[in-house]
Amino acid sequence: PAEHKLFIWDGDQTVKVFKGFGAIRFQLTKEMLLQPGTYILVIHVFPDLVVGYENDEKVWAPDPLSGEVKLIAGSGTTGWLLPQIGEKNRFETTFIITSPQTVEIGAAMRGRWAIENNGWFLDDWGLYKP
């Protein structure tokens, strides 16, 4: 409960995907039928990437490549982006649909190294039409 404000940003639930002492790679996507227009995909993630503990405090992964995020949204797919480890991050990408079509929407995350906790909190994602 003491960490709820760190990881839950919309409502009272969140998603956590993690692997202890192992590398991890996963993606959460959904196929959506979209009409023509401009869209913005926004995601929030908290990379809970921990290499150890000192006096019950988390020691965040020091290597920026310890965690990476990629947004998946039609032609707006990004390359791998580097989040701030141990903080809530906001990522967005804009893409244009010129005809009605089914588009894969979501994000992929990876933790390259077998650190103590390769954890990812995911909450408050949205697809918007400006």
Side-chain angles (χ1 to χ4, degrees):
E3 293 184 314
H4 282 188
K5 291 181 197 172
L6 288 176
F7 308 129
I8 302 173
W9 310 299
D10 182 37
D12 60 2
Q13 297 180 15
T14 191
V15 172
K16 180 178 184 182
V17 179
F18 70 97
K19 179 162 180 79
F21 297 102
I24 189 171
R25 183 175 193 267
F26 65 94
Q27 69 181 39
L28 299 172
T29 60
K30 176 182 177 95
E31 290 192 354
M32 299 180 69
L33 176 59
L34 298 179
Q35 296 303 312
T38 300
Y39 293 86
I40 302 171
L41 172 64
V42 176
I43 71 165
H44 295 93
V45 300
F46 187 108
D48 193 29
L49 308 178
V50 178
V51 295
Y53 294 85
E54 290 181 6
N55 301 320
D56 293 328
E57 295 290 323
K58 294 178 179 180
V59 177
W60 302 113
D63 185 339
L65 290 176
S66 294
E68 297 168 278
V69 175
K70 177 170 57 171
L71 279 66
I72 302 165
S75 62
T77 299
T78 65
W80 289 104
L81 307 168
L82 299 177
Q84 293 297 312
I85 296 169
E87 297 179 18
K88 177 183 177 185
N89 290 257
R90 181 182 191 278
F91 293 100
E92 72 175 57
T93 188
T94 301
F95 62 102
I96 298 171
I97 300 295
T98 57
S99 63
Q101 59 187 279
T102 300
V103 178
E104 185 178 30
I105 303 292
M109 268 77 34
R110 69 182 177 191
R112 294 176 179 228
W113 323 128
I115 60 177
E116 188 163 335
N117 183 54
N118 260 318
W120 293 86
F121 286 91
L122 319 164
D123 196 9
D124 194 17
W125 291 20
L127 183 64
Y128 305 97
K129 225 177 159 183

